[in-house]
Amino acid sequence: MAIATTSSTSTRRARGGPVRAHKLLQLNWFGGLAGWIWLAIVVIPLYWIVVTSFKDQSDYFTQNPFALPSAPTSENYKLVIQSDFPRYFINSVIVTLGTIIPAVGISFMAAYAIIRGAGSKFLAGVNGLFLMGLAIPLQATIIPVYLLIIKMHLYDSLLALILPSVAFSIPLSVLVLSNFIRDVPKELFESMRVDGATEWGMLRTLAFPLTRPALVTVSIYNGLAVWNGFLLPLILTQSPDKRTLPLALWTFQGQYSVNVPAVLASVVLTTLPIVILYAVSRRQLLSGLTAGFSR
Amino acid sequence: MTVTAPPVVPATGRNVSSGAGGSRVGRSGPVAWMVLPALVLFVVFGVVPLIGVVVLSFTQWDGLGPIHANGFANWRSVLSDPQTWHSVLVTFEIMILSWAVQTPMSLLLGTFLAGRQRYRAFLAVLYFIPLLLSSAAIAITYKALLDPNFGLGAGLHIGFLTQDWLGKSNLAIAVVIFIVSWQFIPFHSLIYQGGVRQIPTTMYEAASIDGAGRIRQFFSITVPQLKYTIITSSTLMVVGSLTFFDLIFVLTAGGPGDATRVLALDMYKRGFMSNQMGPASVIASIIVLLGLVLALLLRRLGGSTTASQQEGA
């Protein structure tokens, strides 16, 4: 178990001499060129989605695809919002929050136990089990999950989406969170113990505040996966009023296949909340992701 | 796992805890229960279905009625079905080609983004946006963009773009690989960015004193130093590509013909469209097996000492 050593040296390295390394990297013109080309590849379709969503049908069929709409219209958005869109939106919010709050909570407790109880064979085994979950595409287990959900009489309910989502998010959450809890100095735990703190108390008052950045990262990461999830809603629900946004988008596309601007307006509307969330928590998310994966 | 702590600390730790009345057992005892909620959920919805999928592969079930055991019949029929091998082939084709496109590009972008100018931070913001869109949304968008009659090519009068992108086998696979790269290169370049920032500066200084140019430095320092990052990223790509479902399902539904029918889609079609859960479970078992084998293989590549470091993989 060389994780602790390697991770501590790598953080030391990172704090080491970043300044001069990046002077050396400034000359990376080839990477720079690739960077700007990639920017175009990323931005052009995004621009097209937004511009087209404000066009009416005739503009869409006749205009240059990248031209701004000759008469910008919000009709497409009205059409989408007047459909059952709000219902699907609320479903997605329920499923996403209903997943990440318990998922992050129990993963945090598990990560805390795995780090604090190091040396216990039981906990090492559990950790190994979670890590195995990372290597296995859990979506492949959807058929037994479907059977299980039917047997639990949860088929076609939002809870049917929440329970497997929580389970599927545990491996990665435990991994990232335990990486962070490991960095909390042992001395802090010991001095709290002298003061008579329980493990539960230490988890709440010591580990929780110190790992908050990782908790946010893991929440966003899982939230993103659940918000955008398609397979579980497709298989575990049936009624239109249980649809979540990605599934609604798909059916919407079937209904309005000719009305591409309206379909794209619904794409914008499903993505907007996430983009706003990203704009707010970007720094946090990016630094958490790079730290969580590159060690 | 206690290596991080200086050697003195465990000693004092033991003294303190025995002073406070806790023994070694007491140390892990009250902690262990905290793992239970996660363990129970993971076992019920992860481990049990994992075993379940193998069990179901030996049964006959239409998804609604009773389940009957039928031995190796599903395995025999699925393994002798050319469709299966076609799906395996398509899966590997998409996996390998998308890896080959994404890795060099992510490596290059990640190295570039590791610099600290402000405009690079700005680029990183925009790069990340595709990752925020659902695969369903992305597939719908590209379907419209690539429409031969009303899409990009027709609107811009560019002949090359007006091809029937999703109607020809090779083109459809190329489109899938392009979209996958569009969606995930940003993510992997962030992983590489983190990795590059951890390479000690002194290595580059020494190399430039020895007269190594930038390209030489990239191949002799950056790439070898990123070995573990490359393995982490590749594992995520490879295992992730086994689960490409929503993108392909919405974009091509496996077509044209069966040109983009990857294993995950094959499983869905057999199970939930043809109501043959047994054969579908065989396909699912193959996906699980492939995921495990590929992850272990990649971990092996990292060497035995790095196995624990690569727990991130």
Side-chain angles (χ1 to χ4, degrees):
Chain A
M1 297 265 155
I3 328 141
T5 19
T6 43
S7 72
S8 73
T9 44
S10 56
T11 30
R12 218 176 296 138
R13 270 195 223 153
R15 286 186 200 124
V19 188
R20 248 181 303 167
H22 304 302
K23 261 188 194 147
L24 284 161
L25 287 166
Q26 277 175 10
L27 296 164
N28 187 358
W29 63 268
F30 191 65
L33 187 71
W36 290 102
I37 292 175
W38 191 254
L39 182 69
I41 294 176
V42 165
V43 168
I44 286 172
L46 296 176
Y47 167 83
W48 179 79
I49 298 175
V50 176
V51 167
T52 311
S53 72
F54 287 103
K55 287 182 179 176
D56 60 26
Q57 292 261 56
S58 68
D59 266 7
Y60 171 71
F61 286 121
T62 55
Q63 257 192 341
N64 174 325
F66 293 114
L68 291 170
S70 61
T73 169
S74 56
E75 281 307 311
N76 302 314
Y77 287 91
K78 275 194 200 127
L79 181 71
V80 174
I81 288 172
Q82 279 162 9
S83 70
D84 282 334
F85 190 86
R87 160 94 255 170
Y88 308 144
F89 187 89
I90 291 168
N91 285 348
S92 274
V93 171
I94 294 172
V95 172
T96 306
L97 290 181
T99 300
I100 57 177
I101 295 169
V104 173
I106 63 176
S107 301
F108 180 65
M109 280 166 59
Y112 180 88
I114 285 165
I115 297 302
R116 288 288 296 159
S120 142
K121 272 194 182 137
F122 168 69
L123 289 170
V126 173
N127 193 30
L129 193 71
F130 290 155
L131 291 171
M132 189 192 70
L134 284 173
I136 292 168
L138 282 175
Q139 284 84 345
T141 62
I142 192 71
I143 296 172
V145 168
Y146 167 76
L147 176 62
L148 207 62
I149 289 291
I150 293 178
K151 292 275 179 222
M152 294 170 115
H153 301 286
L154 290 174
Y155 180 73
D156 203 21
S157 71
L158 294 182
L159 196 58
L161 305 179
I162 292 174
L163 290 175
S165 301
V166 172
F168 287 6
S169 64
I170 288 171
L172 191 88
S173 307
V174 171
L175 176 81
V176 172
L177 292 173
S178 59
N179 268 340
F180 273 79
I181 298 173
R182 188 176 292 126
D183 286 350
V184 177
K186 289 244 181 341
E187 295 86 337
L188 292 178
F189 287 111
E190 294 306 341
S191 64
M192 278 194 77
R193 177 174 289 286
V194 176
D195 292 343
T198 59
E199 289 291 345
W200 184 247
M202 290 192 275
L203 176 140
R204 271 194 6 250
T205 55
L206 178 61
F208 179 74
L210 286 176
T211 35
R212 196 171 291 158
L215 289 165
V216 175
T217 302
V218 168
S219 306
I220 298 175
Y221 191 82
N222 289 327
L224 207 59
V226 177
W227 183 267
N228 288 334
F230 186 84
L231 185 66
L232 293 181
L234 178 71
I235 287 175
L236 302 178
T237 66
Q238 188 177 32
S239 349
D241 68 319
K242 300 294 186 314
R243 269 178 208 151
T244 53
L245 287 174
L247 201 60
L249 261 187
W250 178 60
T251 47
F252 195 69
Q253 183 222 213
Q255 282 166 37
Y256 293 88
S257 56
V258 237
N259 192 350
V260 173
V263 171
L264 293 177
S266 64
V267 167
V268 172
L269 283 175
T270 57
T271 314
L272 207 59
I274 312 273
V275 172
I276 292 169
L277 214 66
Y278 172 58
V280 176
S281 59
R282 176 182 59 84
R283 199 167 288 272
Q284 174 80 63
L285 176 66
L286 296 188
S287 62
L289 271 186
T290 45
F293 283 99
S294 57
R295 44 170 129 196
Chain B
M1 281 212 195
T2 46
V3 201
T4 10
V8 206
V9 175
T12 38
R14 215 166 290 141
N15 290 339
V16 170
S17 52
S18 59
S23 63
R24 272 199 72 84
V25 184
R27 254 190 74 195
S28 67
V31 179
W33 70 268
M34 290 186 181
V35 88
L36 288 181
L39 181 65
V40 168
L41 257 163
F42 187 70
V43 166
V44 172
F45 288 99
V47 179
V48 167
L50 202 61
I51 301 163
V53 83
V54 178
V55 173
L56 283 175
S57 75
F58 295 101
T59 66
Q60 197 177 30
W61 182 40
D62 63 4
L64 292 168
I67 304 173
H68 301 290
N70 75 340
F72 284 89
N74 295 326
W75 282 88
R76 263 198 302 272
S77 74
V78 169
L79 291 181
S80 62
D81 181 354
Q83 177 61 61
T84 310
W85 300 104
H86 175 74
S87 301
V88 171
L89 198 74
V90 173
T91 304
F92 272 104
E93 199 174 345
I94 290 176
M95 179 193 295
I96 292 166
L97 290 176
S98 63
W99 179 85
V101 171
Q102 290 184 85
T103 301
M105 195 69 198
S106 309
L107 198 60
L108 204 61
L109 283 177
T111 313
F112 165 67
L113 285 172
R116 290 198 194 266
Q117 292 92 331
R118 289 216 50 83
Y119 77 92
R120 296 185 193 204
F122 169 74
L123 289 184
V125 173
L126 293 172
Y127 285 166
F128 203 74
I129 294 177
L131 211 61
L132 304 177
L133 276 72
S134 68
S135 297
I138 292 174
I140 288 169
T141 301
Y142 273 98
K143 226 167 135 178
L145 258 176
L146 296 172
D147 188 295
N149 299 314
F150 306 110
L152 215 50
L156 295 173
H157 306 290
I158 300 175
F160 167 72
L161 283 176
T162 45
Q163 304 189 53
D164 188 7
W165 288 99
L166 301 175
K168 293 179 190 141
S169 315
N170 287 336
L171 286 182
I173 288 185
V175 169
V176 168
I177 289 162
F178 173 82
I179 298 178
V180 164
S181 310
W182 188 82
Q183 195 177 4
F184 292 113
I185 280 178
F187 175 73
H188 293 281
S189 57
L190 282 174
I191 297 181
Y192 284 120
Q193 178 191 334
V196 170
R197 287 201 173 147
Q198 290 180 359
I199 301 174
T201 332
T202 43
M203 299 189 78
Y204 290 101
E205 285 162 358
S208 42
I209 291 169
D210 291 346
R214 296 209 42 78
I215 293 172
R216 181 73 197 277
Q217 284 180 23
F218 178 77
F219 286 107
S220 320
I221 299 172
T222 312
V223 175
Q225 284 291 309
L226 288 178
K227 188 179 167 197
Y228 306 129
T229 317
I230 293 173
I231 292 167
T232 305
S233 153
S234 300
T235 310
L236 290 171
M237 277 183 203
V238 163
V239 176
S241 72
L242 290 173
T243 63
F244 289 155
F245 173 79
D246 12 5
L247 177 76
I248 299 176
F249 180 72
V250 177
L251 188 75
T252 64
D258 281 322
T260 54
R261 181 164 171 160
V262 289
L263 282 168
L265 204 65
D266 199 39
M267 172 189 82
Y268 177 80
K269 287 195 162 176
R270 289 178 199 249
F272 295 92
M273 289 171 85
S274 313
N275 301 323
Q276 295 188 309
M277 293 297 180
S281 300
V282 175
I283 302 285
S285 307
I286 294 175
I287 299 177
V288 169
L289 201 70
L290 276 181
L292 261 182
V293 168
L294 288 168
L296 287 176
L297 218 69
L298 281 159
R299 185 172 290 196
R300 229 354 97 67
L301 276 180
S304 55
T305 48
T306 61
S308 51
Q309 191 191 5
Q310 282 315 302
E311 281 173 344

